[in-house]
Amino acid sequence: MLDNNNQEDFTDFTILSQEGTRFPCHRVFLANQSPPLKAMMIRDTKEKQEGQVQLPFKEDVVKGFVGSFYSRKIPQELSLIHISEPTRQEAISYA
């Protein structure tokens, strides 16, 4: 996620939580670390056209997910050990 040292003006993609909370991002960070997100951004998809994707996860999970692209660390509370099996499989599909 962006901190005070980053300029949100230069973001070019948004990830939304299931509640609709917006997390501005940089495509290059997402595409570099997630083959599924990269594929979504280079193919002719709804997400590419709209410049955003809504994930079926709560705000705190999406915040940790987006933050991990910038910090390259997964917050302990988002460890897959603590997530149910169906949610785990869905989360892995985005990584």
Side-chain angles (χ1 to χ4, degrees), residues 63-83:
K63 181 178 181 178
F65 177 71
V66 172
S68 70
F69 284 101
Y70 292 91
S71 70
R72 294 191 165 254
K73 297 177 186 171
I74 297 174
Q76 181 63 33
E77 63 273 12
L78 297 180
S79 168
L80 293 179
I81 295 169
H82 305 292
I83 300 174

Side-chain angles (χ1 to χ4, degrees), residues 32-79:
N32 187 43
Q33 298 177 56
S34 171
L37 288 174
K38 180 179 181 178
M40 183 186 303
M41 290 183 236
I42 61 174
R43 291 185 172 83
D44 189 26
T45 63
K46 172 185 158 193
E47 292 82 7
K48 178 183 176 183
Q49 292 172 3
E50 295 178 356
Q52 64 182 27
V53 63
Q54 185 157 19
L55 300 180
F57 303 106
K58 293 185 179 184
E59 179 180 343
D60 58 337
V61 173
V62 176
K63 181 178 181 178
F65 177 71
V66 172
S68 70
F69 284 101
Y70 292 91
S71 70
R72 294 191 165 254
K73 297 177 186 171
I74 297 174
Q76 181 63 33
E77 63 273 12
L78 297 180
S79 168

